Amino acid sequence: KAGVTQTPRYLIKTRGQQVTLSCSPISGHRSVSWYQQTPGQGLQFLFEYFSETQRNKGNFPGRFSGRQFSNSRSEMNVSTLELGDSALYLCASSVGTAPFYEQYFGPGTRLTVT
Amino acid sequence: AQSVTQLDSQVPVFEEAPVELRCNYSSSVSVYLFWYVQYPNQGLQLLLKYLSGSTLVKGINGFEAEFNKSQTSFHLRKPSVHISDTAEYFCAVSDQGAQKLVFGQGTRLTINP
């Protein structure tokens, strides 16, 4: 099976712009989670989608949003980019019922905001 | 809320030496614990997980971890490391069993020849 894919892998944006990142889960996985990784804050949970519904949400401002499509592919959007949004954004897909699930991570999208 | 503390930010060891990476978690009624590895410029890969049952958990690449409820610890061990084990290791806890992982700050393992 193909793994989790994320596009694009690298992105450079200017402060104030918006950006959309894409994640394609492993075939058959219906849950997709997003994480932000920065040197200062480490890995932080953004949100999780299951069957097109947001099921869990982390402590991020409303500028961060996401959605999931009927084929389980997910996108996250960050509006009005700030310098502090520069990070590696990781997507993970999973299968199984809580807590007996396993999250598989993609390679990430590295976003640089200038 | 759940929390995880990785006690060492960096651990240097010599090749073929044993290693232990330490992880403590905040106590909770139900605890689900994970160790992930991140190689440079890559995503996270699951090494092992504890959901229930035996407190000694064996994972991939020769790693194992022991769940200690009284010490609220979940330390990762490998009896003999290889250069290819150089990576960053993250301990994580599942927040109330949900698909929301809370990660520690990571431990960078450096293997010296």
Side-chain angles (χ1 to χ4, degrees):
Chain A
K1 272 187 181 178
V4 177
T5 58
Q6 292 187 246
T7 56
R9 290 292 311 277
Y10 302 91
L11 205 49
I12 300 175
K13 288 287 188 179
T14 303
R15 194 170 47 184
Q17 289 185 315
Q18 75 163 11
V19 67
T20 299
L21 312 182
S22 180
C23 172
S24 293
I26 293 172
S27 177
H29 288 196
R30 295 168 63 190
S31 170
V32 174
S33 299
W34 289 89
Y35 294 83
Q36 181 196 64
Q37 184 176 22
T38 60
Q41 299 299 315
L43 279 154
Q44 293 185 288
F45 173 80
L46 280 155
F47 29 65
E48 183 228 349
Y49 285 86
F50 180 82
S51 292
E52 302 179 65
T53 301
Q54 187 180 88
R55 190 160 65 173
N56 289 290
K57 188 177 190 305
N59 296 323
F60 278 81
R63 300 186 297 108
F64 292 82
S65 63
R67 60 177 176 169
Q68 186 179 35
F69 302 94
S70 58
N71 62 357
S72 294
R73 190 177 71 84
S74 177
E75 290 182 346
M76 67 162 282
N77 184 276
V78 188
S79 62
T80 320
L81 284 166
E82 300 177 0
L83 296 178
D85 296 333
S86 294
L88 180 67
Y89 289 88
L90 293 164
C91 163
S93 74
S94 60
V95 65
T97 55
F100 305 103
Y101 66 88
E102 183 170 325
Q103 290 198 346
Y104 295 83
F105 282 80
T109 293
R110 185 164 295 282
L111 172 65
T112 302
V113 181
T114 62
Chain B
Q2 302 274 25
S3 66
V4 173
T5 303
Q6 291 185 242
L7 299 163
D8 307 291
S9 59
Q10 296 187 65
V11 173
V13 295
F14 287 105
E15 193 172 17
E16 298 183 11
V19 69
E20 178 180 80
L21 306 184
R22 298 180 295 168
C23 171
N24 285 99
Y25 63 91
S26 62
S27 67
S28 177
V29 175
S30 299
V31 179
Y32 311 103
L33 295 157
F34 306 80
W35 274 100
Y36 282 86
V37 60
Q38 186 177 36
Y39 299 103
N41 300 315
Q42 294 188 28
L44 302 174
Q45 181 182 11
L46 180 67
L47 280 175
L48 47 79
K49 60 186 175 184
Y50 172 80
L51 302 180
S52 64
S54 173
T55 57
L56 184 62
V57 181
K58 292 193 181 297
I60 62 171
N61 302 341
F63 284 94
E64 64 181 31
E66 185 162 13
F67 171 64
N68 188 320
K69 189 173 182 178
S70 62
Q71 301 286 329
T72 62
S73 68
F74 190 55
H75 300 335
L76 180 71
R77 302 186 182 101
K78 186 170 183 177
S80 175
V81 296
H82 188 266
I83 289 284
S84 59
D85 293 322
T86 296
E88 188 141 22
Y89 292 78
F90 293 92
C91 182
V93 63
S94 168
D95 191 349
Q96 300 175 44
Q99 306 216 27
K100 171 184 175 180
L101 294 176
V102 176
F103 286 90
Q105 285 296 97
T107 297
R108 187 172 300 276
L109 178 61
T110 306
I111 313 296
N112 299 307

